[in-house]
Amino acid sequence: MSWRSAACTMSRRRLLATAAAGGLSAILGAPFARAIGATPRPPIAEIRTSIRTVNGVALIDPYGWLKADNWREVLDDPQKLPPDIRRHIEAENAYADACLEPLRPLMATLKSEIEGRVEKEDFSPFMRHGRFEYATAYMAGAEHYRVVRREIGRERQEVVLDFELLGKDLDYFDPGGFEPSPDHRMIAWNADRTGAERFTIKIRDVASGRELDDQIESAGTSVVWSRDGRSLLYQPLDKENRSLAVALHRLGTPQRDDRLLLRESDPSYPLALYSSASERFAIAAATSADDSEVTVIDLEQIDKPPRRVIARGTGGLCTLDHDGERFLISTDLDAEEFRIVAAPEATPEPRNWTDIVPHDRNRTILSFDLSKTHLVRLERVDALPRIIVRRLNDGRERTIAFPDEAYALSLIGIDDFDGDLVRFTMSSPAVPEKWFDYHMATGEMELLKEQRIPSGHDPAAYVVRRLEAPARDGESVPITLLYRKGQALDGSSPLLLEAYGAYSLGSAAGFQSDPFSLVDRGMIYGIAHVRGGDDKGRAWYKAGRRDRRNNTFNDYIDVCRHLIEQRYTAKGKIVGLGASAGGTLMGVVANRRPDLFASIVADVPFVDVVNTLLDPELPLTPSDHSELGDPIASRTALEWLLSYSPYDNIAPQPYPAILAVTGLTDSRVTYWEPAKWVARLRANTTGDKPILLKTAMASGHMGESGRFGATETTSLLYAFACQAVRLVKGGP
């Protein structure tokens, strides 16, 4: 899976939405335009044309100069951005600010609404880890959480980490996570201070509250402790920000003395690191789009050489775990929608695999977790999730599902390897998140917590629909809709349609509180579950990648047409929303069917597809070759990428209003992609609708840090959306 996928659907820090339907006066409304005075002049990017020939194809790039030659340095220090590029980016920001300034009063109202839905003091349920239970807690007004714990059977709690205090006075601070040592005397934690996702790992002595001298720089977020608690494993990042190694750090020694245990030589196989359920092994999985190589490290004998369990090219796409006696593996080998097999610890080769959960083409296995006695898997059937709890000794299964027309499940996991509880959450577009513990032995389900909306929320006031849109090739594309009861379904309603469609990541139909500021004003909120995600299984994903990528874009357009035909909305009333790889989708549909949209909003959009995939030094390019195609190695791949690449297919035509949002320290989708895209769009549009670029000068792919960091940005974007489609009245 590419890191380009991480800004998508379920866990984005902000839901960006905007819309427009006319020139500047029409977008902002006559009063807003008068408040501005003279129409702001957009910056015109200088054309410095470069031409290069790749596989016999001449590629012309008028704005390639916006890519800084020292881009690696800029990730660590934005002040090192070259002056000519900085002047242009700042001019774009000034233009966007001038156009959007009249929306401040509406923005203040929306900001109040959005923050009013956030619980000021919020606590997660405690979850068992050894002899302690751990939980996270937000104090009133805090941007970041505390980590608290208590001994099993006791009520007294102690704060072991306070990320609010650790991030105090920093412009950017993103906690990556924490991991207690096996004896719970220490806790490893990490944070990113630039937005470039290069984390610093520190170790705290819990009793004293002091940090040890150990400090690990430029690392990923994964940490696995040795069983004796004297060492830990982590992933050092290379100069391209890639996770291609596993290193061993011994407490009390400097980072320069750390020993590399694994180094991946092929950057198209990024490494993931995690602990097995049994806590016997650290598992290092090198994974491409279709293949895995899995190595284990014995946590009881940390100096023992790592052992390869699954060789590259032999086991398909795999996820491995250990139940204390054997390996359990989810694999697509001879099973497109995955099966789960058992492998002997001593001889884990595929020839020795035994099916535990056989392949079933009518469902896809998404993930699984283990206890000593049970296997729990999350799977999807007909684009809806369910959880299956299987007793290992006899294969008896119980199913956890819900009757809602559309909903989301998240498998948090089994609370303790020796225990009986598995935890999960459930929500729907209208129903806030609920936390459950499920007793695997008895099937009893216990509600632990319900997300509370302080300003008030009545799920019964809303309608959630799951529809199917006929695609042009005969497939049916699922759609999730949310709207208020009594909503006019006569073609008069504006519609915000979100989609992603890439990297096998489905778009979950879960609860998001922010869109209710749009829905309560009369906008329908929708998700198009297009090909490229795994919403209908791995076959659905494969039908939207590489040379079949155009299915993703056609699906989205066909969903728009279906919703217009069914009179949920009308042509010119649709707001397109896509983030990261979903921004590719937004760029393509803006080129192909601009008439359908009031506006397109693209959040950290991956739009300069060909140029990015031609640069093997960029962080994600090698791993994306297996997902999207390699234009360096194959002219055929270059041609299919050129058939849709948003930047390369801009043409003279009237584009809808477009707003692109990006971050200067984004290491996944670099800032120059949307900058180049906006410059070329503005030079080619034959209409008078504005095309805006807003660049955060001190954050990256995930946007502003903190619980409330994105509130102002979101409220501004929503105000722009509401004014564009004339939804300026207050909520119900």
Side-chain angles (χ1 to χ4, degrees), residues 602-669:
D603 181 7
V604 291
F606 177 33
V607 283
D608 192 12
V609 174
V610 171
N611 285 315
T612 292
L613 293 180
L614 285 170
D615 188 345
E617 293 188 355
L618 291 175
L620 303 184
T621 292
S623 58
D624 273 348
H625 283 163
S626 64
E627 176 74 28
L628 303 171
D630 184 351
I632 303 171
S634 167
R635 174 167 176 150
T636 300
L638 174 61
E639 289 173 345
W640 80 54
L641 291 166
L642 281 171
S643 75
Y644 69 79
S645 175
Y647 180 66
D648 297 287
N649 285 276
I650 293 169
Q653 62 178 326
Y655 280 91
I658 292 174
L659 177 60
V661 180
T662 188
L664 196 59
T665 60
D666 190 340
S667 63
R668 305 189 191 195
V669 181

Side-chain angles (χ1 to χ4, degrees), residues 18-33 103 106 110 487 492-495 517-518 520-523 572-575 598-599 657 688-690 717-731:
T18 186
L24 184 63
S25 294
I27 292 165
L28 302 178
F32 288 154
L103 298 180
L106 181 56
L110 292 168
Q487 180 86 27
S492 64
S493 297
L495 169 79
S517 285
L518 302 178
D520 286 346
R521 286 172 168 79
M523 186 179 289
K573 288 182 173 288
I574 299 172
V575 177
S599 177
D688 60 356
K689 311 238 179 114
L717 295 169
Y718 279 10
F720 186 66
C722 291
Q723 175 62 24
V725 292
R726 308 299 193 270
L727 295 178
V728 295
K729 64 183 179 65

Side-chain angles (χ1 to χ4, degrees), residues 448-693:
L448 300 176
K449 177 185 175 180
E450 294 185 73
Q451 180 182 358
R452 193 178 80 88
I453 307 300
S455 60
H457 176 76
D458 179 11
Y462 301 92
V463 177
V464 175
R465 295 294 315 277
R466 174 57 61 89
L467 309 176
E468 297 279 340
R472 63 194 68 185
D473 62 356
E475 283 284 4
S476 295
V477 184
I479 312 166
T480 301
L481 295 181
L482 170 70
Y483 53 88
R484 285 193 65 84
K485 280 187 177 178
Q487 180 86 27
L489 302 178
D490 57 3
S492 64
S493 297
L495 169 79
L496 185 145
L497 187 63
E498 180 180 3
Y500 186 71
Y503 301 109
S504 188
L505 289 173
S507 297
F511 185 81
Q512 299 180 82
S513 63
D514 291 355
F516 286 93
S517 285
L518 302 178
V519 172
D520 286 346
R521 286 172 168 79
M523 186 179 289
I524 297 174
Y525 173 75
I527 303 171
H529 302 272
V530 297
R531 278 173 279 191
D534 65 351
D535 304 75
K536 292 177 70 172
R538 188 154 174 84
W540 191 249
Y541 153 63
K542 289 181 177 179
R545 67 172 186 170
R546 295 180 189 159
D547 59 332
R548 306 174 74 185
R549 192 82 175 98
N550 277 300
N551 284 333
T552 303
F553 317 131
N554 291 338
D555 284 355
Y556 187 88
I557 291 170
D558 292 343
V559 166
C560 290
R561 293 169 56 188
H562 180 70
L563 293 173
I564 291 168
E565 290 169 1
Q566 297 300 308
R567 306 198 74 193
Y568 284 96
T569 189
K571 187 165 71 170
K573 288 182 173 288
I574 299 172
V575 177
L577 169 61
S580 199
T584 309
L585 172 56
M586 293 299 104
V588 172
V589 300
N591 286 334
R592 294 184 180 178
R593 287 300 307 271
D595 59 307
L596 292 175
F597 301 97
S599 177
I600 295 288
V601 63
D603 181 7
V604 291
F606 177 33
V607 283
D608 192 12
V609 174
V610 171
N611 285 315
T612 292
L613 293 180
L614 285 170
D615 188 345
E617 293 188 355
L618 291 175
L620 303 184
T621 292
S623 58
D624 273 348
H625 283 163
S626 64
E627 176 74 28
L628 303 171
D630 184 351
I632 303 171
S634 167
R635 174 167 176 150
T636 300
L638 174 61
E639 289 173 345
W640 80 54
L641 291 166
L642 281 171
S643 75
Y644 69 79
S645 175
Y647 180 66
D648 297 287
N649 285 276
I650 293 169
Q653 62 178 326
Y655 280 91
I658 292 174
L659 177 60
V661 180
T662 188
L664 196 59
T665 60
D666 190 340
S667 63
R668 305 189 191 195
V669 181
T670 48
Y671 75 87
W672 60 81
E673 290 205 36
K676 291 169 61 178
W677 181 55
V678 163
R680 203 168 195 172
L681 281 167
R682 196 179 288 140
N684 278 271
T685 185
T686 60
D688 60 356
K689 311 238 179 114
I691 297 169
L692 306 180
L693 171 67

Side-chain angles (χ1 to χ4, degrees), residues 248-260:
L248 172 66
H249 175 79
R250 297 188 187 280
L251 297 189
T253 65
Q255 184 178 2
R256 64 177 178 271
D257 292 344
D258 292 352
R259 179 162 59 95
L260 283 184

Side-chain angles (χ1 to χ4, degrees), residues 13 144-145 163 173-179 188-193 199-201 219-223:
R13 288 209 183 96
H144 307 293
Y145 61 87
F163 283 114
F173 184 79
D174 179 19
F178 63 94
E179 186 65 37
W189 61 274
N190 52 69
D192 171 23
R193 291 176 172 81
F199 289 82
T200 297
I201 299 172
T221 58
S222 297
V223 171

Side-chain angles (χ1 to χ4, degrees), residues 387-430:
I387 292 172
I388 309 295
V389 179
R390 181 185 183 91
R391 194 161 60 193
L392 287 170
N393 63 1
D394 61 6
R396 180 183 178 185
E397 293 188 343
R398 290 189 173 99
T399 299
I400 304 171
F402 292 83
D404 304 60
E405 195 162 332
Y407 63 93
L409 294 178
S410 178
L411 179 59
I412 295 175
I414 292 171
D415 76 330
D416 188 78
F417 184 63
D418 297 318
D420 177 54
L421 296 177
V422 61
R423 182 165 295 172
F424 69 93
T425 65
M426 177 271 180
S427 71
S428 86

Side-chain angles (χ1 to χ4, degrees), residues 7 21 37 43 70 76 103 140 151 171 175 191 248 271 312 361 406 452 479 511 515 570 576 615 620 711:
N70 66 335
D76 288 327
L103 298 180
E151 289 194 66
D171 291 337
L248 172 66
L271 279 168
R312 195 163 311 198
R361 64 182 301 177
R452 193 178 80 88
I479 312 166
F511 185 81
D615 188 345
L620 303 184
T711 303

